[in-house]
Amino acid sequence: MRSFGALLLFLDETRLGVEMEPLTVTPPIKSIKTFTLFVSFNCVTHSMMSFSEHLVDIDYNTIQALDILPKEVESKKSAGKNQSLFSLVDRCRSTVGKKCLRKWFRNPTTDRAVLVSRQICVHYFKQDWNAEVTAKVASTLGKVKALNISNELNAETSLLREVSEVACIAGSIINFAESKIQGRVTVMPGIDDELDKLRDTYESMPMMLTAIAKQESLRLGLTPFHNVACVYIPLVGFVLSLPTDFPAESHEDMSLVYATSDELRVKNVTTERLDEEYGDILMKLIDSQTAIILTLKLTVMKKRRSITKLLNLAARIDALVALGLIAAENGWNCPTLVDEPIIEALELYHPISVLVVKKNFVPNEVSSGRNGIKASIITGPNACGKSVYMKSIGILAFLTHIGSFVPARHAKVGLVDRIVTRMFTVDSVLDGMSTFAKDVEQVALALRKATGSSLVIIDEFGKGTMTEVGLSLLASCMTYWMQKGPTHCPHIFLSSHFHSLPKFIPLDLNIATFLTFTVLREPGGQIKYLFRLTPGTVDCSFAMAVAKEEGIPMPIIARACRIYKAIKAGTPLKEVRAEVKTTDDEDQMVFDMDIVLADDNGFMDAIETFVTRDKEKAFEELNKSSMSEKTKDVEEREEDVISTSKWHIERNRRARTASIVSSRSIASMDQISVLDFLLPKKKMKVVSTEESEVTSEFSRSPDPFSDDGV
């Protein structure tokens, strides 16, 4: 249907048949007929159908997210920073080898026979005792020139014999050394007698023209100082070169051909005689050689199938040598192909990150599909290595399906039919879609196409919209996959900062496992990342520490810490004064950060408490925000205490019949927050003010978007 739409668009743009008509007149389409290639090209169609059945489905977004192929447009400033997996692996010496390797990267296969044969070849070129052979083969393949590569075919002994015969014939006819100097194909001496005579005449012509120039100089009465010369110019013929002050018009037998600032080029009786005797000798020489080359070409074309096969074989060898060299240099190992739907690896690392990381890269293990566990939910602090870990898993599966070795000490991989990711978002004003819509589009693709043998990688889906909506979508997607059971559930690797996600997915199915990364909290608000994967979950993102490491000023971080503590304690945000002037109170800032990092409940629970409140209190806060600006600060606090007491009395009377709404918008006052019903209610601490203390069983939170907020 897309091709048909493209055809209609082409007809509209070219306006075929209605070129002279108004723009409102569309091209006339009388009928639509279909045809198939299966009838006329049975073998070709069957071969292509068989080829497509064994391909791993991988979309453009996944290729970009995993950095498999280089970006099409790369600026000079970003050169080297955006290194791709292909540029890392590409050690090919020939153009055909590069094309073959790129073909493998664009078409990963599930054909076990093809993958095993490639692994055997890569293993041979990787071994140290074959290094000399590998270097010799690579050097020889560097001389192979580019031609169109046909389908992969097996080499035969007769193939080498046929191509060797053609090579001997071509080598005995073509003078490769002289061809390189002349910039055109030349023929060896002794091939044709007429050609040899023309060549001898052309090579002896400089001496003959020098003698003729001396005779003409004497005949015209010119001294040797005038530099008279007889010159042969292809397509023009023989001409006489005279000084610019020579009176050529006074000689009747001379005709001016052209003039330059330094000389005159004329023809006379002598040059006309040379033209009649020798003609355009260089063109005759080239024509004779071209006729011989065309004859040779006809002979070579009879063996074109054998040459194409051999060229294809050379391209495959070059690509396999490149895979062997990269495996030997980086210590990659051969993955084991199994029938079970599992993905396992020990000491797996990202092949690109390990080259650019400033510190020693920490490898981790991967296990999916064993004992029915096919969903790995990864939580952890910001910048702890979640995305790099999941990308390394995608690269592990991809390299396995092109027949390459993998960056792991040991790997066992079941064949994967498709790799789908939600990690990379390409924004464009031309598609008319928001960033969140693009993310949903990628997840929708995974929901439609993922099978029990697919690999799905999702990195922080749902962060582009409201917390409740993003969490609900993510939990629903995970539930949809997990309810399919271990057989039909794809391999899922999910990273998320929704720390309450385990409460909304069916954990009783025993399909999901929870992983995190180890971190150490050091004095002074410093976080030390160990990048070591471990079972478990976390409920704090350590965002404050990451902000400090990335250069956010300490006064701003200290202010954020104070607001965070106020949210956790239920204190109205208007009591958190913005008294951040200098960094002299850095000790207090570090103390505030330590409190935030030491909080076991986590930042997400604080936000969930922050965005929930009673409907009646929301209207009460709205009325309070319209108070006169002339009211003093002390009177505001007293009224706040009184209204708080009244609110708690009314709260205890209505008990659990209270309606909980979102405080983000008064317009959404009647919307029920899903999180507030599902999350357990917690007793809150005592809220203190300068005038009084009020103890409450339930907490209340200020409206973050009211005039009394931050």
Side-chain angles (χ1 to χ4, degrees), residues 508-566:
D508 55 336
L509 299 178
N510 296 324
I511 294 180
T513 182
F514 295 91
L515 304 171
T516 186
F517 285 86
T518 307
V519 297
L520 296 179
R521 186 172 65 88
E522 299 178 344
Q526 299 291 333
I527 298 298
K528 182 178 181 181
Y529 298 100
L530 301 182
F531 303 103
R532 185 181 301 115
L533 193 69
T534 183
T537 60
V538 298
D539 55 5
C540 184
S541 61
F542 298 106
M544 300 298 182
V546 176
K548 179 182 177 183
E549 291 292 334
E550 296 300 326
I552 299 296
M554 283 298 296
I556 297 178
I557 297 177
R559 170 69 175 165
C561 293
R562 296 191 186 99
I563 295 175
Y564 174 77
K565 290 193 298 181

Side-chain angles (χ1 to χ4, degrees), residues 552-563 576-586 588-589 592 710:
I552 299 296
M554 283 298 296
I556 297 178
I557 297 177
R559 170 69 175 165
C561 293
R562 296 191 186 99
I563 295 175
V576 183
R577 302 183 182 277
E579 297 178 352
V580 181
K581 299 179 180 179
T582 63
T583 57
D584 295 337
D585 54 347
E586 186 170 347
Q588 180 63 31
M589 299 175 189
D592 293 337
V710 180

Side-chain angles (χ1 to χ4, degrees), residues 90 92-102 141-147 149 311 315 318:
D90 183 17
C92 298
R93 305 293 294 273
S94 64
T95 305
V96 292
K98 293 179 183 294
K99 291 183 178 180
C100 181
L101 185 62
R102 183 177 286 270
L141 291 173
K143 303 176 183 179
V144 178
K145 303 301 179 183
L147 287 177
I149 301 177
L311 184 64
D318 198 7

Side-chain angles (χ1 to χ4, degrees), residues 415-600:
L415 295 179
V416 174
D417 58 359
R418 59 179 43 86
I419 303 175
V420 189
T421 64
R422 207 310 310 161
M423 304 183 71
F424 185 84
T425 303
V426 180
D427 292 327
S428 176
V429 296
L430 301 178
D431 55 20
M433 300 179 65
S434 64
T435 302
F436 179 69
K438 297 287 288 185
D439 294 347
V440 173
E441 182 185 38
Q442 297 177 27
V443 174
L445 176 66
L447 291 171
R448 292 195 306 268
K449 292 191 173 183
T451 65
S453 300
S454 302
L455 173 61
V456 178
I457 301 176
I458 301 177
D459 188 10
E460 298 186 14
F461 171 69
K463 63 183 179 180
T465 184
M466 294 178 60
T467 302
E468 294 90 342
V469 177
L471 177 58
S472 302
L473 282 173
L474 181 58
S476 300
C477 294
M478 292 298 297
T479 302
Y480 170 78
W481 278 317
M482 294 171 65
Q483 287 180 346
K484 290 185 174 183
T487 304
H488 301 288
C489 178
H491 299 281
I492 304 173
F493 291 89
L494 165 70
S495 69
S496 177
H497 285 291
F498 293 139
H499 300 145
S500 56
L501 177 64
K503 302 177 183 179
F504 309 128
I505 59 177
L507 300 179
D508 55 336
L509 299 178
N510 296 324
I511 294 180
T513 182
F514 295 91
L515 304 171
T516 186
F517 285 86
T518 307
V519 297
L520 296 179
R521 186 172 65 88
E522 299 178 344
Q526 299 291 333
I527 298 298
K528 182 178 181 181
Y529 298 100
L530 301 182
F531 303 103
R532 185 181 301 115
L533 193 69
T534 183
T537 60
V538 298
D539 55 5
C540 184
S541 61
F542 298 106
M544 300 298 182
V546 176
K548 179 182 177 183
E549 291 292 334
E550 296 300 326
I552 299 296
M554 283 298 296
I556 297 178
I557 297 177
R559 170 69 175 165
C561 293
R562 296 191 186 99
I563 295 175
Y564 174 77
K565 290 193 298 181
I567 294 173
K568 292 295 293 182
T571 305
L573 294 186
K574 67 179 182 180
E575 298 185 6
V576 183
R577 302 183 182 277
E579 297 178 352
V580 181
K581 299 179 180 179
T582 63
T583 57
D584 295 337
D585 54 347
E586 186 170 347
D587 294 338
Q588 180 63 31
M589 299 175 189
V590 173
F591 176 75
D592 293 337
M593 183 178 292
D594 286 340
I595 293 179
V596 173
L597 298 179
D599 193 345
D600 295 333

Side-chain angles (χ1 to χ4, degrees), residues 33 58 65 124 129 175 305 327 556:
K33 298 180 180 180
I58 179 169
Y124 176 86
W129 50 83
N175 191 341
R305 292 182 60 87
I556 297 178

